[in-house]
Amino acid sequence: MAKRVVILDYGSGNLRSAERALARTGAEVTVTADYEAALECDGLVVPGVGAFAACMAGLKGVRGERIVGRRLSAGRPVLGICVGMQILFEKGVEHGVHTEGCGEWPGTVERLDAPVLPHMGWNTVTAPPESVLFRGLDAGTRFYFVHSYGVRTWELQAGPGFTQPLVTWAEHGVPFVAAVENGPLMATQFHPEKSGDAGALLLANWLNTLP
């Protein structure tokens, strides 16, 4: 039976390209802001493009932060993409404006220190060997990025009885977080839906994690 995936429509993100990419992997995809549908689906995708503050405002407008929180408390999978990953962190800082994020991970989204911005185009990533998202992908595989901001420091520290999330890195001027795998919560800074065959395999790997 096809996995039921909802792409959360909160006024931001490349919804149709993500919808097409997930449908090609065999998922039953719905684009909606419906609260109950987003809670009850097998997997929720939170896309995002543009400014951190605007995305958070749109997310709160559809109670998206509550949807994410409720799904995760029940162990239900969530995938963030691009700014949809960034808003999962504690806060974003753009042009001196500090905006509170969803706070699922500690850390700050800030401007990359690079000679050319935005970071636009294909780039390699360094994934942990245990990664599920990058399973079957060679180390030199490239993914498509479009962003000027990112998380430059991973701040969540392991403690007793705590399993450290798997963090994938990329570099553009400075190292930044390219993907995170944290139980039911996963996210990518790049756009898998625009990353050709590599992105399609990554999305299929995520679908295979859905219950």
Side-chain angles (χ1 to χ4, degrees), residues 14-166:
N14 296 305
L15 304 180
R16 298 307 166 189
S17 56
E19 179 185 19
R20 288 192 298 269
L22 283 159
R24 283 195 295 268
T25 67
E28 178 186 315
V29 187
T30 304
V31 177
T32 183
D34 184 79
Y35 188 83
E36 294 301 326
L39 281 180
E40 294 172 4
C41 60
D42 297 319
L44 177 70
V45 175
V46 181
V49 295
F52 187 104
C55 284
M56 274 307 302
L59 192 72
K60 289 181 176 179
V62 299
R63 298 183 290 169
E65 81 286 8
R66 293 179 58 187
I67 293 169
V68 170
R70 284 190 59 184
R71 284 187 64 87
L72 295 178
S73 66
R76 307 294 300 279
V78 175
L79 176 68
I81 294 176
C82 197
V83 184
M85 174 180 112
Q86 295 179 1
I87 58 179
L88 297 170
F89 286 85
E90 272 182 328
K91 65 180 177 179
V93 180
E94 294 184 3
H95 307 296
V97 177
H98 292 241
T99 304
E100 183 179 336
C102 293
E104 298 296 339
W105 297 312
T108 301
V109 177
E110 56 190 334
R111 189 175 175 86
L112 298 179
D113 185 6
V116 177
L117 289 173
H119 173 214
M120 181 182 297
W122 299 84
N123 202 350
T124 58
V125 303
T126 302
E130 319 93 291
S131 170
V132 172
L133 284 181
F134 295 92
R135 184 174 293 160
L137 291 163
D138 296 333
T141 301
R142 295 177 179 271
F143 297 89
Y144 190 77
F145 291 83
V146 183
H147 64 120
S148 297
Y149 293 78
V151 176
R152 294 164 51 180
T153 304
W154 181 255
E155 298 181 11
L156 186 59
Q157 300 301 316
F162 173 78
T163 301
Q164 182 69 254
L166 300 178

